[in-house]
């Protein structure tokens, strides 16, 4: 098992404040992460009572997982069962909970989970219990933890960062793409100078920008392809059944299925007209502006 260097930073859990001797350090999420992803943007329209209940539930889940890992106590919280299932499925072994990392100058925070995988490589994980999963925000948070962890533990290298999302009986283990070092540098600079941070205007077409959403784009494209394939499979199967039974229309409680009979269609070969009679084609061609779009190709 790996040995971690313990930070000299002391965390006042009741006041939720970090101290290095007599100097108070700032939390990462309330400063650096909030600089890029302002709290008001995600939760500004949510009433305080809803936020309080969500926070209480989140604290309960975090505490249950910590007791499970540190003391072997297994409670009946549904999220704990989901966590144990994820941990076994992903081959993760617990190393530390609420592990404090810091630059020992200005910032400090506690990593929810330090773990190792089946290959013995280090995985930093953050537990989320919110309704929305906010992959991009969590990626930034864990990228900063990644930086501070390796600063604090020379010789140890983080292999992966991941979000463990737990909400009732729903759960997800999602590996996240780390932010580029130069992007992190600019986040720190923006916070130090109290200036806005907009990654799209700052980096333009820098690949680091797209890397933040790469995993989610790929996942959604793959899901869409699977849904489309399943949809076509169902359509062909249902059409064949309706044709065999000579049923032209079925009306259910949620959908209406109508068998459209084969028809002949007539098309116009504009390509041949352009090649054989370019003057006529030019006289009747109509130009329109087509909106730009994004073509996504998922690597297999």
């Amino acid at each position: 098992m790996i040995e971690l260097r313990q930070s000299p930073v002391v965390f006042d859990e009741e006041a939720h404040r970090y101290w290095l001797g007599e100097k108070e350090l700032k939390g990462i999420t309330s400063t650096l992460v909030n600089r890029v992803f302002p709290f008001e943007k995600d939760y500004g329209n949510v009433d305080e009572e809803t936020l309080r209940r969500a926070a209480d539930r989140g604290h309960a889940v975090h505490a249950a997982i910590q007791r499970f890992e540190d003391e072997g106590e297994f409670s009946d919280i549904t999220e704990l069962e989901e966590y144990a299932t994820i941990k076994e499925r992903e081959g993760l072994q617990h190393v530390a909970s609420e592990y404090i990392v810091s630059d020992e100058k200005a910032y400090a925070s506690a990593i929810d989970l330090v773990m190792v995988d089946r290959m013995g490589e280090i995985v930093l994980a953050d537990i989320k219990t919110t309704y929305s999963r906010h992959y991009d925000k969590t990626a930034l948070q864990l990228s900063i933890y990644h930086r501070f962890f390796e600063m604090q533990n020379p010789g140890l290298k983080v292999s992966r960062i991941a979000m463990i999302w737990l909400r009732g009986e729903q759960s997800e283990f999602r590996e996240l793409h780390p932010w580029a070092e130069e992007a992190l540098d600019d986040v720190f600079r923006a916070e130090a100078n109290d200036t806005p941070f907009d990654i799209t205007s700052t980096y333009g077409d820098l690949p680091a920008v797209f890397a933040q959403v790469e995993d989610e784009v790929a996942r959604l494209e793959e899901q869409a392809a699977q849904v489309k394939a399943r949809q076509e499979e169902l359509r062909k199967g249902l059409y064949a059944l309706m044709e065999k039974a000579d049923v032209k229309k079925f009306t259910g409680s949620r959908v209406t299925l109508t068998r459209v009979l084969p028809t002949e269609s007539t098309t116009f070969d504009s390509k041949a007209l352009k090649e054989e009679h370019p003057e006529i084609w030019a006289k009747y061609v109509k130009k329109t502006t087509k909106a730009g779009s994004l073509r996504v190709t998922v690597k297999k």
Side-chain angles (χ1 to χ4, degrees), residues 38-57:
F39 180 85
E40 293 77 12
K41 183 177 180 181
D42 293 325
Y43 301 106
N45 296 324
V46 182
D47 64 88
E48 292 186 5
E49 178 60 23
T50 300
L51 290 174
R52 184 192 63 78
R53 289 199 304 268
D56 289 345
R57 182 63 180 178

